[in-house]
Amino acid sequence: TQLLEQSPQFLSIQEGENLTVYCNSSSVFSSLQWYRQEPGEGPVLLVTVVTGGEVKKLKRLTFQFGDARKDSSLHITAAQPGDTGLYLCAPSLSGGSYIPTFGRGTSLIVHP
Amino acid sequence: DTGVSQNPRHKITKRGQNVTFRCDPISEHNRLYWYRQTLGQGPEFLTYFQNEAQLEKSRLLSDRFSAERPKGSFSTLEIQRTEQGDSAMYLCASSATGYRGTEAFFGQGTRLTVV
C-alpha cells in the first residue's frame, strides 16, 4: 500500500483568500482523482489527471499533476463559503485491480 | 436515475445487536464498493463487487462483517454483534467499469452509532 499524504490536514480561511492543498506519495501514479465531500454527503468527483505536468482548471479551482506523477496540488482562487468541505485525493497505481483509495483529506472551512 | 441510494441514513443500535445496511447503485453499474469513514479521515475501503462476485475484502472487514450483492443489483452490508468501535459513516459507491480513473459515484452514507 502506497504511503499517501495530504496536507494541510485542516485549513480555516476567510472568504476571498487563496489556498493550495497537496497530495504526495513516494509511488508513481497512473492517474489521480480529486474529490470533494461536503458535510453529510458522499464524495463527488472534481477532476481526473492522467499526464505528468498536466494542469486542469475548473472555474476557480486549478489542479496540477506533478511531472513525475508522484504528487498533485489543488489551488483555489478567491475561496467562497461554498468551497467548504473535505478535499480527497484518490490515486491509481499501475497493475492490480482498480479500487478508488483515498487519502486522509484536507478539511477546508471558508468563513464569510 | 437518482444516483446511489443508501438506507437507512442513520442507525442507532445497542452494542451486541446486528445491523444491516442497504445500497442501491446506479443502474447497470458493474462495480459496487463499500467504505467506512470516521471523523477526520478519508473513506477506508472495505470490500467491492464486480456484478454479484465479491472480489476483494480489506483486512478492516472482520468476521463480524458480511456483504452480499445478490443478482448484481443492490447490496447489503451486515455487522453482527456490533461494537462501539463500529460507529462510523458507511459509504457505498458504484462505477460503470473497473478501469483506472473511472468515476466512483457515492451515496449519502449510513451513519451508525453504537451505544
Side-chain angles (χ1 to χ4, degrees):
Chain A
T1 303
Q2 77 277 15
L3 180 62
L4 186 66
E5 293 186 2
Q6 287 195 246
S7 61
Q9 188 174 346
F10 300 102
L11 200 51
S12 179
I13 62 173
Q14 294 296 127
E15 182 175 3
E17 292 185 23
N18 301 333
L19 67 119
T20 303
V21 299
Y22 301 92
C23 176
N24 297 288
S25 175
S26 56
S27 300
V28 177
F29 305 136
S30 60
S31 66
L32 185 142
Q33 296 176 314
W34 283 95
Y35 285 77
R36 178 171 66 207
Q37 184 178 20
E38 297 182 7
E41 303 291 330
V44 175
L45 180 67
L46 296 173
V47 77
T48 301
V49 287
V50 178
T51 305
E54 182 176 4
V55 177
K56 282 192 173 179
K57 292 190 175 183
L58 184 65
K59 297 183 181 178
R60 295 174 294 98
L61 278 60
T62 301
F63 304 85
Q64 184 159 10
F65 202 14
D67 291 341
R69 291 186 286 127
K70 293 183 177 182
D71 56 86
S72 181
S73 64
L74 159 58
H75 181 80
I76 302 179
T77 303
Q80 299 178 359
D83 296 326
T84 292
L86 180 67
Y87 288 81
L88 297 157
C89 69
S92 296
L93 295 175
S94 299
S97 180
Y98 173 62
I99 299 170
T101 305
F102 297 88
R104 187 172 183 171
T106 292
S107 181
L108 171 66
I109 298 175
V110 182
H111 301 277
Chain B
D1 196 336
T2 57
V4 178
S5 176
Q6 291 189 247
N7 289 288
R9 290 291 309 277
H10 304 274
K11 178 70 176 179
I12 300 174
T13 191
K14 291 184 178 179
R15 188 175 53 186
Q17 297 294 305
N18 299 343
V19 293
T20 300
F21 311 139
R22 177 177 171 125
C23 172
D24 288 272
I26 293 173
S27 299
E28 299 178 358
H29 273 192
N30 295 325
R31 287 277 184 109
L32 187 148
Y33 308 88
W34 283 100
Y35 293 84
R36 181 173 68 189
Q37 186 175 27
T38 53
L39 196 62
Q41 302 288 331
E44 296 173 295
F45 168 74
L46 293 178
T47 188
Y48 87 91
F49 293 84
Q50 175 77 27
N51 299 312
E52 68 275 11
Q54 187 174 16
L55 295 185
E56 189 162 334
K57 293 191 285 188
S58 162
R59 279 176 285 184
L60 292 175
L61 210 66
S62 76
D63 291 344
R64 297 183 296 105
F65 288 68
S66 62
E68 295 182 342
R69 191 184 183 195
K71 303 178 183 178
S73 56
F74 71 92
S75 176
T76 58
L77 177 67
E78 181 183 15
I79 308 175
Q80 296 181 325
R81 304 181 303 281
T82 52
E83 301 173 356
Q84 286 189 320
D86 297 331
S87 295
M89 174 75 83
Y90 289 84
L91 291 164
C92 174
S94 68
S95 65
T97 74
Y99 293 120
R100 300 187 187 289
T102 297
E103 180 175 1
F105 293 84
F106 282 81
Q108 292 180 301
T110 294
R111 180 166 295 283
L112 173 66
T113 303
V114 181
V115 298

